[in-house]
């Protein structure tokens, strides 16, 4: 699991911390490649994203995303979550 501070965009367009992605998921990050792999605790890949060091970096990329804490659910009832 990553201990690197940073952020990624989830499949709902929210910004999440790589240290606390929520949903029981873990993040593996590659800061050089700017890559985030979101996995289950058993290692199944469920989402891939771009690594951003700060929320300002997300805004500079032209992405409008609100930060959500790990307690915020992934997906919605319509998505089956």
């Amino acid at each position: 699991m990553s201990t690197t501070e940073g952020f990624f965009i989830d499949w709902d367009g929210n910004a999440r911390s790589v240290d606390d992605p929520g949903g029981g998921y873990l993040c593996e990050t590659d800061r050089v490649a700017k890559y985030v792999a979101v996995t289950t605790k058993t290692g199944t890949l469920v989402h891939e994203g771009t690594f951003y060091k700060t929320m300002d970096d997300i805004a500079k990329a032209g992405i409008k995303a609100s930060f959500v804490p790990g307690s915020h659910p992934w997906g919605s009832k319509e998505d089956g979550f």
Side-chain angles (χ1 to χ4, degrees), residues 1-18:
M1 184 167 129
S2 170
T3 57
T4 304
E5 290 182 13
F7 305 90
F8 68 97
I9 305 300
D10 71 11
W11 58 58
D12 291 320
N14 299 310
R16 291 184 179 264
S17 169
V18 297

Side-chain angles (χ1 to χ4, degrees), residues 8-51:
F8 68 97
I9 305 300
D10 71 11
W11 58 58
D12 291 320
N14 299 310
R16 291 184 179 264
S17 169
V18 297
D19 289 330
D20 184 20
Y25 299 133
L26 305 173
C27 287
E28 294 291 330
T29 60
D30 183 331
R31 292 177 63 112
V32 175
K34 296 185 178 181
Y35 173 78
V36 177
V38 182
T39 65
T40 64
K41 290 181 181 180
T42 59
T44 303
L45 179 67
V46 295
H47 183 69
E48 296 176 293
T50 300
F51 175 81

